[in-house]
Amino acid sequence: MDKNARIFVAGHRGMVGSALLRNLASRGYGNVVTRSRADLDLTDQAAVERFFRDEAIDVVILAAAKVGGILANETYPADFLYLNLIIEANVIHSAFRAGIQRLGFLGSSCIYPREAPQPIKEDYLLSGPLESTNEPYAIAKIAGIKLCEAFNRQFGTQYVSLMPTNLYGPNDNYDLKTSHVLPALLRKAHEAKVSGASKLAVWGTGRARREFLHVDDMADAVIFMLERGIGEGWYNVGCGADVTIEELARAAMHVVGFDGDIEFDVSKPDGTPQKLLDVSKLAELGWSAKIGLQEGLAATYDDFLQHHETQALKWA
Ligand code: GFB
C-alpha cells in the first residue's frame, strides 16, 4: 500500500479505530482521513455519498459499528441490527460508487454458529443457528461480509473482511451496563479494591470460554492484510488460546491487586459456551498475535487508571 494513499478510517474514535490510527502512524502512513460523527453521520446515505465523491479516498477501513457486551446486545437488538446494517450498506456502496477498489471490513467472531466445532474455521459460517444474545449483531456483520463478497464477485473489487475474537485495550468502554467482560472485570476489581469490598460480582457461571485479543494486535492484522494486497474472503483474527471467564476474573483480580472472592451472578447469561477461533488461515500468510493476555491486561489496567478511572466512578 502506498504510504501516501488516502486512507479513510471510519470509526477512528472507537477502540479499534484509534488502534488503527496508531498502527498506520507507526508504519509511516501520513494521509489518513477521519471524520467525527458530528461531521459525517455514517447512517446518512446522502452525506456518505457526498463524502466519498468529494474526498478522493484510495482505501477504506470500516471500523465504525454499534458494539457492546452481552447485555447491551440483548437490550438493544434493533440498534445493533439496524445501525450496523445501514453503516455497512452506506459505506461499502458509496465507496464502490466512488471507484474505490480496496476496503477492509471488520466483523466479529459471533458471526459463527453457537455450537460450531472449536476452534472455529472460517468455513463454518452459516452452517448452523447463531447464539441468541447477539443474533442481530451477528446477522448485520454477516451481511457486511456478504456485501463485500458480492461486490468482489460482481464488480471485481478487493474488499476483504477480518473477524476478530473478543477485543480489549486502550479506549475501551467501561460502562458496566454496555461494556464487554474484560473492561467490566477490570473496573469492578478496581472498585472492589478501592472500596474494600470482599467480593467481585461476575456474571454467569464463569464457565463460558472466550479468546481475548489486544486491539493493537487486531489493528496490526488489518494493516498487514491491506499491505499484502489480500483483497477477498474473510479471515479470523485471534491469539489462538481461550480462557474461562472465571480464569479471566482471577487474572484481572491479580493485575488490579484485589484478593477477595468471586460471586457468580447466574441470573445473567453466559452466552456462547465457547468462542475460540482457528487462526491458521492468517498464520499461513505470516501473521500472528504478539501481545499475551497477562501483558495486555496489565497495559489495559494502566490505561484505565490514566484515562478512565474518574469517568468510571462518575458512572457508578
Ligand atoms: O464480553 P461479553 O459481554 O460478550 O461477555 P460475549 C462474555 C462473557 O463474560 C459472558 C461474562 O459469559 C458474560 O456473562 N461476564 C461476566 C460478563 N461478568 C461480566 C460483566 O461484568 N460484564 C460482561 N459484559 N460480561 C459479545 C457479543 O459476546 O461480545 C457481541 O454480544 C460481540 O456480539 C462481542 O461478538 C465480541 O463474548 O458473550
Side-chain angles (χ1 to χ4, degrees):
M1 197 160 52
D2 184 344
K3 296 282 179 199
N4 291 316
R6 271 174 77 71
I7 304 171
F8 175 47
V9 176
H12 72 290
R13 289 200 169 143
M15 180 172 71
V16 178
S18 51
L20 284 164
L21 295 194
R22 289 195 295 277
N23 193 284
L24 286 164
S26 75
R27 290 175 189 246
Y29 290 94
N31 211 347
V32 176
V33 179
T34 60
R35 286 290 181 276
S36 69
R37 199 172 298 180
D39 291 335
L40 176 61
D41 175 1
L42 296 176
T43 68
D44 179 342
Q45 185 180 21
V48 176
E49 288 260 334
R50 255 193 325 273
F51 167 79
F52 280 107
R53 198 189 54 216
D54 296 346
E55 286 298 327
I57 301 295
D58 298 308
V59 179
V60 178
I61 309 177
L62 179 41
K66 169 76 180 169
V67 298
I70 193 164
L71 203 61
N73 271 264
E74 272 201 318
T75 314
Y76 308 108
D79 291 354
F80 277 80
L81 183 54
Y82 170 73
L83 291 173
N84 287 308
L85 281 175
I86 192 126
I87 289 170
E88 292 158 17
N90 286 345
V91 172
I92 295 170
H93 182 245
S94 299
F96 166 72
R97 297 234 315 172
I100 295 168
Q101 278 295 307
R102 301 198 54 76
L103 179 146
F105 171 66
L106 306 193
S108 163
S109 60
C110 68
I111 58 164
Y112 294 112
R114 173 187 163 87
E115 304 294 342
Q118 308 283 323
I120 308 170
K121 290 184 188 300
E122 284 85 350
D123 296 349
Y124 300 165
L125 186 68
L126 295 175
S127 63
L130 297 163
E131 154 65 25
S132 63
T133 53
N134 56 36
E135 191 191 79
Y137 180 71
I139 285 181
K141 289 296 181 181
I142 294 170
I145 298 173
K146 290 294 167 184
L147 201 55
C148 290
E149 199 181 42
F151 273 104
N152 292 345
R153 208 165 72 214
Q154 193 175 336
F155 299 110
T157 48
Q158 294 187 297
Y159 295 171
V160 67
S161 299
L162 289 129
M163 298 303 121
T165 188
N166 290 37
L167 299 173
Y168 70 96
N171 225 356
D172 210 337
N173 166 21
Y174 288 91
D175 177 345
L176 295 179
K177 291 196 191 77
T178 56
S179 73
H180 290 100
V181 60
L182 192 146
L185 293 181
L186 274 181
R187 176 180 164 184
K188 288 199 272 191
H190 174 77
E191 288 175 359
K193 183 177 88 168
V194 170
S195 69
S198 61
K199 287 184 178 145
L200 174 76
V202 174
W203 297 354
T205 62
R207 291 196 292 270
R209 302 188 70 90
R210 294 289 184 274
E211 177 187 7
F212 295 95
L213 183 74
H214 193 280
V215 71
D216 284 343
D217 272 333
M218 176 60 194
D220 193 60
V222 175
I223 310 305
F224 171 92
M225 294 294 278
L226 291 172
E227 284 192 335
R228 266 147 202 82
I230 311 288
E232 61 180 31
W234 63 99
Y235 292 78
N236 291 341
V237 191
C239 65
D242 61 357
V243 293
T244 65
I245 296 302
E246 179 173 353
E247 286 164 345
L248 176 72
R250 296 205 183 281
M253 286 161 65
H254 179 73
V255 160
V256 168
F258 169 67
D259 62 1
D261 295 327
I262 293 179
E263 189 168 54
F264 294 105
D265 174 2
V266 293
S267 71
K268 296 284 196 309
D270 269 346
T272 309
Q274 186 178 17
K275 253 193 300 190
L276 174 63
L277 293 177
D278 183 320
V279 288
S280 50
K281 199 170 157 190
L282 202 52
E284 276 160 26
L285 296 172
W287 188 89
S288 59
K290 287 166 198 67
I291 305 169
L293 185 57
Q294 289 302 333
E295 180 196 345
L297 260 180
T300 305
Y301 184 48
D302 281 348
D303 176 71
F304 171 82
L305 291 176
Q306 278 179 42
H307 303 292
H308 301 279
E309 186 189 5
T310 344
Q311 204 182 353
L313 292 172
K314 241 189 288 160
W315 278 325

